[in-house]
Amino acid sequence: MRGFRMAEEAKSHSAKRIVVGVLLSAVAALAIVLGLHFASIIRLPFLPTTAEIAFALKLDRVVGDGSFDVAAEADADVSVSVGGNDLKVKTKAQANGSVRDFKRDDPFAFKVVDGRLVLQARPTGFASLLLREPLEASGTFEADLAREIVEYAIEKPLAHEGSLHVDAASLKNAPKGELEVKSLTVEGDTATVVVSGESITKSKAFKSALESLGQEGLAVDAEFDDVTVAVRLDEPNDRIEVAIDTSLEAGM
């Protein structure tokens, strides 16, 4: 009987050793795979890379509670159809301002002060022959997301003041994954994100913006191509630079 027990115990220890060996092998294999991933030799889509983690840490330092500066530039090829007439326009927008009262636990309640905006537009094709210089509009703006309002003052080409409603609630309550991110690459201090244009036009925030235009008497249908957004960090100066490139088709 004793010999039988010893044989059973030996089998049990042997089984345990096999299980432990399998687990250790799995852990070692996982460690190797993770090491290759963070060495950028292989890419695991569900994990951030070392570069992405480094960028996130830098972003965390720039976008702390308080204040930082933002500069944005957007280029878009716009196709507009109005009353059966089509017009293709190349546009460039530049804006900058200072973000105040930013809190990471409530990211939709900050203010933008000292905002400045310049918009340039030039039609393409034969229509461009009629213009020696691009059409330009410029002005100032301030935004208060807690009050869901943007106030602006156009200086050129005509003086005009007004305000726009911002549906911050729809941004805050937007379902996760509403915007489809097609790719994310990081190089140094710049992260480049490609967002599905279709997911933008289907988002609640975009639909709300079109509804706001409808309340102003403008019935607009719009559709984006994929949007490329490059975010560059300037840590020493607490500054974020954003570059956006896309195409837009709109009908009114």
Side-chain angles (χ1 to χ4, degrees), residues 91-115:
T91 64
K92 178 184 287 289
Q94 295 175 309
N96 58 70
S98 297
V99 174
R100 297 286 184 267
D101 302 331
F102 181 82
K103 295 180 180 179
R104 283 181 288 189
D105 59 355
D106 189 8
F108 295 102
F110 63 86
K111 299 177 182 178
V112 178
V113 300
D114 300 327

Side-chain angles (χ1 to χ4, degrees), residues 130-154:
L130 303 176
L131 293 174
R132 292 186 177 181
E133 297 293 334
L135 299 172
E136 183 174 298
S138 61
T140 60
F141 68 93
E142 293 198 349
D144 189 335
L145 264 68
R147 294 171 52 221
E148 297 192 330
I149 191 170
V150 176
E151 297 176 330
Y152 63 88
I154 302 299

Side-chain angles (χ1 to χ4, degrees), residues 187-216:
E187 188 172 342
D189 293 330
T190 302
T192 302
V193 183
V194 178
V195 181
S196 161
E198 183 180 3
S199 71
I200 292 176
T201 55
K202 288 182 177 179
S203 68
K204 289 183 178 180
F206 187 78
K207 290 177 179 178
S208 175
L210 293 186
E211 288 173 2
S212 297
L213 291 175
Q215 293 170 4
E216 299 295 326

Side-chain angles (χ1 to χ4, degrees), residues 15-26:
K16 287 179 183 178
R17 283 196 293 269
I18 291 173
V19 171
V20 170
V22 170
L23 288 176
L24 289 176
S25 298

Side-chain angles (χ1 to χ4, degrees), residues 16 32 38 40 42 45 59 64 68-69 102 116 120 122 125 149 152 167-168 185 198 211 230 237 247:
K16 287 179 183 178
I32 291 171
F38 287 113
S40 299
I42 63 173
L59 180 63
F68 54 90
D69 292 335
F102 181 82
R116 181 135 198 104
Q120 292 181 333
R122 181 191 288 275
I149 191 170
Y152 63 88
D167 190 355
T185 57
E198 183 180 3
E211 288 173 2
N237 297 312
S247 293

